Amino acid sequence: MLGPIVGPGLRVLFVGVNPSLRSAEVGHHFARPGNRFWPTLHAAGFTPRRLRPDEDRELPGYGVGVTNIAFRPTRAADELTAAELREGAAELERTVRRHAPRLVAIVGLTAYRIAFARPRAVMGLAPEEIGGRPVWILPNPSGLNAHYKPADFARLYAEAREYADALAATA
């Protein structure tokens, strides 16, 4: 199973929907060719260079963690059941309470809506918290999500980073 990568003092915990078949095969998050997570992290200012999926264990050193709502690998996220997403949401609450990142960034609006029973949720800062921490909804960086261009991802993810950094300044 491809589990969470977390550590103390995280700026942001990124929460994917579930592992791709490729990620499960190689044992690293966001490993499917065409996934834009790694270039987006760099372009948004989270990492000083573009990391590779096999460097995912280095993320906590940059104040970044990564996990998933559900842990069953699939070809596409829409293969998950609503029950799997709801079960994953409960586990995510526990993970967030245990590690207390400054910000929880969910990368997948539709999965968030289903998992947390928030059908009207929109991109950006959510009015609800997860595990007592603020939540920011971002577009899924999967190559299957053709609605966003690289510059869109960089801008939206940078907004979440700026918010997380502002939280530290007020703490």
Side-chain angles (χ1 to χ4, degrees):
M1 179 172 87
L2 191 59
I5 295 175
V6 293
L10 294 179
R11 272 196 291 186
V12 178
L13 175 62
F14 285 98
V15 182
V17 179
N18 71 309
S20 68
L21 297 176
R22 177 70 179 157
S23 287
E25 176 187 326
V26 300
H28 295 288
H29 292 272
F30 300 102
R32 187 170 188 249
N35 192 296
R36 296 166 288 188
F37 182 74
W38 300 103
T40 296
L41 272 192
H42 174 61
F46 284 101
T47 59
R49 65 177 177 83
R50 181 177 170 176
L51 299 177
R52 300 180 315 267
D54 66 333
E55 295 175 303
D56 57 2
R57 295 270 171 214
E58 295 180 24
L59 286 172
Y62 300 110
V64 175
V66 65
T67 191
N68 289 292
I69 295 173
F71 290 96
R72 180 172 66 91
T74 60
R75 188 172 317 285
D78 63 5
E79 296 174 32
L80 296 169
T81 67
E84 285 177 292
L85 291 170
R86 286 191 299 272
E87 288 170 17
E91 179 58 33
L92 180 61
E93 288 268 356
R94 289 188 287 275
T95 297
V96 170
R97 284 196 189 286
R98 190 167 39 252
H99 297 284
R102 270 188 237 152
L103 181 67
V104 177
I106 307 285
V107 296
L109 178 61
T110 301
Y112 174 78
R113 287 174 173 169
I114 296 167
F116 292 92
R118 297 176 180 142
R120 292 180 176 27
V122 297
M123 293 288 178
L125 184 63
E128 304 88 5
E129 294 182 338
I130 293 176
R133 306 306 304 155
V135 176
W136 197 284
I137 313 299
L138 292 164
N140 190 319
S142 167
L144 301 175
N145 181 1
H147 302 300
Y148 293 90
K149 300 202 177 327
D152 299 325
F153 281 108
R155 177 180 49 79
L156 294 169
Y157 280 54
E159 288 172 3
R161 180 187 49 75
E162 290 164 4
Y163 181 81
D165 290 348
L167 290 175
T170 62

